[in-house]
Amino acid sequence: MASANEKTGRHLDDDFMDHDDNKMTVKEYLSTRISTLKPPMHRPPNPIKVLGSLSKMNWMMFLLAFLGWTWDAFDFFTVSLTVTELVRSYSKLMYMYI
């Protein structure tokens, strides 16, 4: 049974190649692009009201994320302090298995 593309004689590549009508000049692109880059000038909400609207679960999630971030920073710090000892330790292990 013939597919729809075989009946019409069109291939999938033809759909991607027929964009000559949709070409945009550099001037048109820049005139539309610059206007989309301007941020909206909405007034930001009062941070005290926003913090007051957080539920207990929101605060717990924030605390959990903060503790995770702090633990990751501590881990990175301890590894950077002990990197010389780690290299010595793993070098001994590497030579032991060679």
Side-chain angles (χ1 to χ4, degrees), residues 6-48:
E6 290 173 356
K7 289 179 185 176
T8 60
R10 295 188 69 193
H11 298 285
L12 293 176
D13 293 336
D14 294 341
D15 293 334
F16 294 113
M17 303 305 271
D18 289 338
H19 291 292
D20 293 333
D21 300 335
N22 296 333
K23 285 192 176 180
M24 184 182 283
T25 64
V26 173
K27 183 179 177 182
E28 290 171 335
Y29 172 76
L30 289 176
S31 66
T32 58
R33 181 69 180 150
I34 291 173
S35 64
T36 60
L37 291 176
K38 183 181 177 194
M41 302 305 285
H42 301 298
R43 186 176 183 158
N46 184 352
I48 304 299

Side-chain angles (χ1 to χ4, degrees), residues 10 28 35-36 47-48 55 57-58 61 64 71 76 89-90:
R10 295 188 69 193
E28 290 171 335
S35 64
T36 60
I48 304 299
S55 69
M57 181 63 80
N58 295 136
M61 290 296 160
L64 185 65
W71 187 257
F76 178 80
S89 175
Y90 284 114

